Amino acid sequence: MTMQHLCRSLVVFLVACALSACATKPRPTPPKAGAPLEHAWGAVPFQASADGIDEEFTVGIFDSLRAKREQLRQAGDGGKIPYRALTLSGGGSRGAYGAGVLSGWTKRGDRPQFEVVTGISTGALMATHVFLGSEFDDDLAIYKDITNDQVFVEHGMIKTLFSVLRSPSAFDTSPLRETLLTIISEETLDLVAAEHRKGRRLYIGSTNLDANVFTIWDMGAIAGSDRPDRLKHYIDVVMASAAFPIAFPPIYVEVEGEAGDYTQMHGDGGIRESAFFFDFESLEEYQSELEAAGFSDSDFDSQLYLLINGPIASPGIKTYKPVEGKVVAIADATITSLMTKVTQGSLYRLWIMAMAYGADFHVSFVPPDYTFFTSSLTFDPVEGAALFELGYQQALDGTAWATQLAPTSDEELLKLIVDPASAFDSHEQPAWLTRGEQ
């Protein structure tokens, strides 16, 4: 499937919906209009006030850090406590690049264990096995040979305009659920739960379409639940995060609300963020408690890694790629522009966060001059294998990551943020986005 094919299907779908929205198939048990937002089980309950994140979702990781510090003390090591986070971006079939980087990093021999792993969209699809560690790289290798048939099938309704109205999407992702169930089982969830109990954290992001809010899910808490539907719920969250709007169907997540049970409609987390991370904020929130327990800022070696499954636009390199004056081509160009902007925004926010909290920032991405022959919603084994090999070789030779070291003073931080010339070159591209041996 080409992007042109996809956009044509989406245009037909949108036109049909505009013509006769009343013919759409009703969704199951929606929330009442105007009702306050409630959280499904496993969602991280961000507060509207300054209270921040619910303590139960963050306190475990600090218990783990305290234990690590005590281990260092007993070993006579006065070094800093490693606090490493990896955030995996969206990108559809471009996830083959990220899978290659991680596998090559394992082969190189210096891939760390991460205290926190987050994922959105295709990053959510790979996050479980990345979180569990290098011994699960074989499950990431599925990106090398996965095909469209293992992800989605076209509805027959695409062929008839009015039958389009009976479905919430252009394609059916039942094959993706079946694929996920071959690599995520009850036993897999037991392993995730075990790591969660050690204080490590795995988060996935989706978009609550009913409330128009970004939702973060604590996958370790879901995996560690004794509920009989934990596997279904876990898979639902992963699929929701990867449910590209209109193309793929949203996922209806069950909520046990105060006024009764209903379903929330969740879709691709990439609508709101290409990648996310927030635990530096909770680290700050608990700083007084940590200091009382003997912690200080200097005790931590904080590292934030952003693995972008695709390219990032280079503002300094302006080239034309003429767009045909047809609705399908214009839709393609518009979607690409919107998603590029989301990726750039997420990159910038994560960079600012890392700098503000004194963490070294590392980013890996597909080179801007790489030529793609299919769209990010096309799972082609030839291109998948090529992208995997690209990431693998970059990680193996130490050129996968570009790094910005944390500022060493408030003055240096202020200069980085306020004075563009200190962090950006004359083309308005971050000067530190130069890969090299780490």
Side-chain angles (χ1 to χ4, degrees), residues 49-123:
S49 68
D51 295 337
I53 304 162
D54 192 301
E55 181 176 340
E56 84 175 89
F57 290 92
T58 56
V59 70
I61 197 166
F62 299 113
D63 290 338
S64 173
L65 292 173
R66 292 188 191 96
K68 287 182 179 179
R69 191 187 71 153
E70 187 59 32
Q71 290 171 359
L72 289 173
R73 282 180 172 175
Q74 291 180 2
D77 187 346
K80 295 183 178 181
I81 303 169
Y83 183 80
R84 295 183 174 88
L86 172 66
T87 178
L88 305 164
S89 85
S93 59
R94 313 302 194 222
Y97 172 76
V101 169
L102 290 159
S103 299
W105 205 358
T106 297
K107 181 67 174 179
R108 179 180 165 90
D110 55 356
R111 175 176 158 185
Q113 182 184 73
F114 296 97
E115 277 65 51
V116 180
V117 174
T118 77
I120 282 181
S121 199
T122 201

Side-chain angles (χ1 to χ4, degrees), residues 10-200:
L10 299 187
V11 167
V12 170
F13 185 82
L14 288 171
V15 170
C17 290
L19 289 173
S20 182
C22 62
T24 57
K25 184 178 179 180
R27 57 166 286 185
T29 57
K32 294 181 180 179
L37 174 65
E38 295 180 285
H39 298 284
W41 69 280
V44 177
F46 282 93
Q47 306 297 326
S49 68
D51 295 337
I53 304 162
D54 192 301
E55 181 176 340
E56 84 175 89
F57 290 92
T58 56
V59 70
I61 197 166
F62 299 113
D63 290 338
S64 173
L65 292 173
R66 292 188 191 96
K68 287 182 179 179
R69 191 187 71 153
E70 187 59 32
Q71 290 171 359
L72 289 173
R73 282 180 172 175
Q74 291 180 2
D77 187 346
K80 295 183 178 181
I81 303 169
Y83 183 80
R84 295 183 174 88
L86 172 66
T87 178
L88 305 164
S89 85
S93 59
R94 313 302 194 222
Y97 172 76
V101 169
L102 290 159
S103 299
W105 205 358
T106 297
K107 181 67 174 179
R108 179 180 165 90
D110 55 356
R111 175 176 158 185
Q113 182 184 73
F114 296 97
E115 277 65 51
V116 180
V117 174
T118 77
I120 282 181
S121 199
T122 201
L125 298 179
M126 66 173 64
T128 297
H129 300 94
V130 174
F131 176 74
L132 290 177
S134 301
E135 59 269 35
F136 289 86
D137 283 354
D138 286 347
D139 291 301
L140 295 179
I142 191 175
Y143 276 95
K144 289 194 293 184
D145 53 17
I146 194 170
T147 64
N148 286 347
D149 292 343
Q150 294 170 277
V151 180
F152 60 84
V153 293
E154 290 188 33
H155 287 300
M157 56 85 183
I158 288 294
K159 299 178 181 178
T160 58
L161 181 64
F162 295 105
S163 59
V164 168
L165 301 172
R166 297 183 178 276
S167 176
S169 64
F171 308 110
D172 174 9
T173 53
S174 296
L176 176 59
R177 183 178 294 272
E178 295 174 5
T179 298
L180 287 173
L181 286 171
T182 65
I183 57 176
I184 298 177
S185 63
E186 294 281 357
E187 291 73 20
T188 308
L189 266 56
D190 288 341
L191 295 173
V192 172
E195 294 304 311
H196 181 82
R197 288 191 294 271
K198 295 176 185 176
R200 299 179 62 225

Side-chain angles (χ1 to χ4, degrees), residues 391-405:
Y392 186 91
Q393 290 300 327
Q394 285 183 341
L396 203 58
D397 63 22
T399 60
W401 299 96
T403 297
Q404 167 70 66
L405 298 179

Side-chain angles (χ1 to χ4, degrees), residues 296-354:
S296 68
D297 289 338
S298 61
D299 286 325
F300 294 97
D301 173 22
S302 298
Q303 308 285 330
L304 177 58
Y305 293 83
L306 168 57
L307 181 46
I308 297 177
N309 290 298
I312 53 176
S314 175
I317 304 174
K318 302 292 187 182
T319 59
Y320 281 111
K321 186 180 179 182
V323 177
E324 288 186 87
K326 298 179 180 179
V327 66
V328 171
I330 294 171
D332 182 6
T334 301
I335 291 171
T336 299
S337 179
L338 288 172
M339 299 314 295
T340 298
K341 190 64 176 177
V342 171
T343 298
Q344 292 173 334
S346 295
L347 167 63
Y348 182 73
R349 279 189 291 276
L350 291 171
W351 174 71
I352 288 289
M353 178 187 292

Side-chain angles (χ1 to χ4, degrees), residues 42-44 56-58 196 200-204 216-223 234:
V44 177
E56 84 175 89
F57 290 92
T58 56
H196 181 82
R200 299 179 62 225
R201 292 294 179 263
L202 170 61
Y203 298 112
I204 282 176
I216 296 174
W217 302 88
D218 187 334
M219 305 306 286
I222 295 173
Y234 193 101

